[in-house]
Amino acid sequence: MTGRVITITSGKGGVGKTTATANIGVALARRGQRVTCLDADIGLRNLDVVMGLENRIVYDLVDVVEGRARLRQALIKDKRLPELTLMPAAQTRDKLAVKEAQMIKLVEDLRKECDFVLIDSPAGIEHGFRNAIAPADEVLIVTTPEVSAVRDADRIIGLVEAAEKPAPRLIINRLRPSMVKRGEMLDTKDVLEVLAVELIGIVPEDEAIITSTNKGQPVAFEDRSPAGAAFTRIAQRILGEDVPFMVFDDTSGLFDKMSKFLKR
Amino acid sequence: MTPISFKGTREGLHITLAPAPWREIMEELARQLNRPGAQSFFRGARVLLETGNRMLGVTELEELIALLAQHQMTLTSVLGETQTQDAFVQLRSAMPPPPENLQAEIESAPEHATEDLSALLIHRTVRSGQLIRHAGTIIVIGDVNPGAEVVAENDVVVWGKLRGVVHAGASGDTRAMVGALFLAPTQLRIGNFIARAPDEKRTQVWTAEIARVRDEQIVVEPWNAV
Ligand SMILES: Nc1ncnc2c1ncn2[C@@H]1O[C@H](COP(=O)(O)OP(=O)(O)OP(=O)(O)O)[C@@H](O)[C@H]1O
Ligand SMILES: [Mg+2]
């Protein structure tokens, strides 16, 4: 058994990589998949906080790589979903502590035990990004609908292509339908026109994300919130299901509608 | 994965570097170039180097250029990160001239053959942060995105949307032109002339256009009028 390794990355920081990793992980695990979320943001870990598992960390990724702990000892089981585990990053170590080859080896070991390894990449194009990309079978790029974030996403897509990975897929996060409507925000079509990659999901701006992050309970545990439902649809698409894209409408909340133009 | 891969194209030899340690790359390259029969095959070749997301400094590039020179090969183009490009530009002035025999060959060849030899074909989207610099004409089949830069000593033709920075006639040739199916560059240079995009966004219409220098300024006209 070898699981699929999916790295979630962006160029610009703070666009929602960690949020996406935690929620896609939860959504996949809720569908019975065995998922390991790996925090590759060494020195700035926070996937554990978003997943609500911070207080269970004893060993971390660097301990495993440097032989102080076995894989099983460092892996943290989720308190709600038995299929979900977390490999935490080290908080106190320098981000150069892990080499590319060590990361590849670690992920090779992890993937034997599960269906998916989701890697939460640090922002930027430096060492940490390269480490997160090296073991990936697939790459998801997160961007917000802002010109600067899209520009950085484009740069990252170029680097992913140069690393000879398959064409990455795109998550547009924090879309605000009311602003798009007023012409104050890039819409999905504008973003795709520049990036020319396949869209795997649109996640609306959602206050529930903030409360859920504070509680350590990712929104994807329930499908009630718009963002939670959006992450669930992304998980379904990862599993190969053909799920229609939502058109977000501000006044009436959400309504389902096939939007053909999104499918390139 | 091998640290380097070779591909022969009409423009010359296309060498792609994998993300392997620099030592391994140089050793492999030396090994490949010293293979029996390789001498006559590679001799005199122009080399297009694709560095992927690796950043090469002046020292590394110098080492590579020196190794190529030992085999009478010349580095003419680099595709990769801006930093690598800068190193290349820095070195370019100090680079050994093309091997004698090749020089003679080019000079004696008919005009069109020379141009043919120097066109670089890029068949993909050129993305933000990528810079393509080439001593001849550059043809892109795909888009040139905002944040990307294309610099050619002759013409630039983009079969797609051109929205990055473009510089044709980069060593001063004002007869060079820039053509694109959709011409909306952030900045367009021909020789020493510069034109930039209007600050207000213009409504995007899909028309093929061509930019060239006329009466000391850059003018843009529909492609079909040429
Ligand atoms: N759809 C959304 N709606 C509202 N807030 C969101 C949404 N997505 C993310 N956020 C908020 O944006 C902030 C940044 O998110 P997150 O930490 O996931 O980004 P990141 O890309 O991992 O950042 P970094 O580059 O620092 O690792 C967080 O406070 C998060 O709660
Ligand atoms: Mg993060």
Side-chain angles (χ1 to χ4, degrees):
Chain A
M1 145 105 277
T2 49
R4 282 160 69 184
V5 179
I6 306 181
T7 295
I8 291 129
T9 188
S10 70
K12 194 166 155 62
V15 295
K17 295 176 293 295
T18 302
T19 307
T21 307
N23 280 287
I24 295 170
V26 166
L28 284 170
R30 280 184 71 203
R31 306 184 88 74
Q33 303 293 318
R34 288 172 304 156
V35 183
T36 297
C37 294
L38 187 157
D39 190 347
D41 202 347
I42 294 170
L44 279 172
R45 78 169 184 218
N46 52 24
L47 184 58
D48 53 320
V49 179
V50 174
M51 292 175 75
L53 300 172
E54 187 184 12
N55 57 0
R56 300 172 186 224
I57 297 177
V58 181
Y59 296 108
D60 58 47
L61 181 158
V62 178
D63 291 321
V64 175
V65 163
E66 294 179 351
R68 278 187 303 275
R70 277 174 289 112
L71 203 65
R72 296 260 168 98
Q73 288 177 302
L75 271 180
I76 298 166
K77 257 200 166 43
D78 184 78
K79 50 194 175 192
R80 301 140 295 200
L81 288 166
E83 292 85 1
L84 185 63
T85 52
L86 167 72
M87 173 59 74
Q91 178 68 307
T92 51
R93 292 295 296 269
D94 172 44
K95 57 179 188 256
L96 297 175
V98 178
K99 296 199 173 55
E100 208 171 284
Q102 293 174 313
M103 194 65 145
I104 292 173
K105 167 79 171 64
L106 175 73
V107 174
E108 277 310 311
D109 292 342
L110 284 171
R111 76 192 301 173
K112 286 182 197 134
E113 315 274 324
C114 59
D115 302 305
F116 287 94
V117 178
L118 302 184
I119 303 178
D120 179 15
S121 156
I125 57 173
E126 311 296 323
H127 182 77
F129 160 76
R130 282 154 209 264
N131 267 354
I133 288 297
D137 301 323
E138 299 163 52
V139 178
L140 303 184
I141 310 276
V142 184
T143 186
T144 54
E146 293 165 278
V147 174
S148 61
V150 171
R151 182 77 59 95
D152 291 351
D154 192 44
R155 177 127 173 71
I156 290 296
I157 294 169
L159 295 179
V160 171
E161 287 170 348
E164 294 185 338
K165 300 289 174 186
R169 292 190 283 180
L170 186 74
I171 297 172
I172 301 179
N173 188 23
R174 309 194 77 158
L175 189 88
R176 290 162 72 166
S178 57
M179 288 184 71
V180 172
K181 220 174 196 175
R182 294 197 299 269
E184 292 165 359
M185 187 178 251
L186 297 178
D187 69 12
T188 307
K189 217 168 102 236
D190 298 330
V191 176
L192 290 179
E193 214 230 334
V194 172
L195 298 182
V197 289
E198 190 190 331
L199 184 70
I200 193 165
I202 308 165
V203 182
E205 175 78 23
D206 188 349
E207 284 180 6
I209 294 271
I210 296 162
T211 46
S212 83
T213 300
N214 292 341
K215 281 190 297 191
Q217 172 90 354
V219 284
F221 271 106
E222 292 164 7
D223 294 333
R224 259 187 299 140
S225 74
F231 282 120
T232 299
R233 285 193 297 273
I234 292 174
Q236 289 172 295
R237 291 187 191 111
I238 288 174
L239 291 170
E241 293 172 39
D242 192 8
V243 192
F245 281 86
M246 291 276 186
V247 170
F248 294 97
D249 184 274
D250 190 45
T251 45
S252 60
L254 289 175
F255 60 93
D256 260 282
K257 207 166 156 193
M258 273 289 253
S259 43
K260 284 264 157 48
F261 73 90
L262 297 176
K263 303 197 122 190
R264 315 188 118 215
Chain B
M1 189 167 50
T2 54
I4 43 175
S5 68
F6 289 93
K7 205 169 74 192
T9 70
R10 273 155 61 96
E11 297 83 44
L13 190 67
H14 192 138
I15 301 182
T16 308
L17 306 185
W22 181 246
R23 276 289 124 240
E24 264 175 48
I25 286 182
M26 288 305 291
E27 277 162 21
E28 179 64 16
L29 185 61
R31 210 174 60 78
Q32 293 285 349
L33 295 181
N34 285 323
R35 270 195 348 205
Q39 289 287 357
S40 58
F41 184 72
F42 290 134
R43 191 185 176 85
R46 288 156 167 254
V47 175
L48 167 81
L49 181 71
E50 184 156 357
T51 53
N53 56 5
R54 158 194 298 282
M55 316 234 184
L56 295 186
V58 173
T59 346
E60 287 165 331
L61 265 183
E62 222 164 14
E63 192 184 345
L64 188 124
I65 289 169
L67 178 62
L68 291 176
Q70 281 173 21
H71 295 82
Q72 279 85 46
M73 297 162 77
T74 324
L75 184 64
T76 54
S77 311
V78 175
L79 269 78
E81 293 282 318
T82 316
Q83 192 189 309
T84 310
Q85 294 284 348
D86 290 345
F88 180 53
V89 174
Q90 223 175 304
L91 281 173
R92 218 188 131 84
S93 46
M95 252 159 60
E100 292 289 320
N101 57 344
L102 183 73
Q103 192 99 44
E105 220 171 276
I106 290 172
E107 272 156 18
S108 65
E111 179 79 340
H112 61 90
T114 322
E115 286 183 0
D116 205 359
L117 186 77
S118 66
L120 172 66
L121 182 68
I122 307 286
H123 202 141
R124 59 175 163 84
T125 305
V126 186
R127 297 189 181 274
S128 174
Q130 295 177 339
L131 191 153
I132 294 170
R133 189 184 292 271
H134 178 62
T137 289
I138 297 176
I139 301 165
V140 179
I141 299 183
D143 297 342
V144 176
N145 278 355
E149 215 176 315
V150 174
V151 182
E153 279 177 28
N154 298 340
D155 303 336
V156 176
V157 177
V158 178
W159 192 260
K161 293 174 286 236
L162 171 45
R163 285 189 283 210
V165 171
V166 60
H167 193 173
S171 42
D173 183 0
T174 52
R175 290 166 310 171
M177 64 92 173
V178 176
L181 289 189
F182 177 67
L183 187 70
T186 318
Q187 199 186 84
L188 188 153
R189 301 189 196 178
I190 297 175
N192 303 322
F193 295 95
I194 301 185
R196 59 177 171 74
D199 285 328
E200 342 60 78
K201 260 197 178 167
R202 57 171 193 171
T203 42
Q204 309 205 329
V205 267
W206 272 86
T207 40
E209 289 177 316
I210 219 163
R212 58 173 86 236
V213 175
R214 285 238 168 97
D215 304 325
E216 301 289 293
Q217 62 174 358
I218 295 176
V219 294
V220 176
E221 23 190 64
W223 205 331
N224 56 21
V226 212

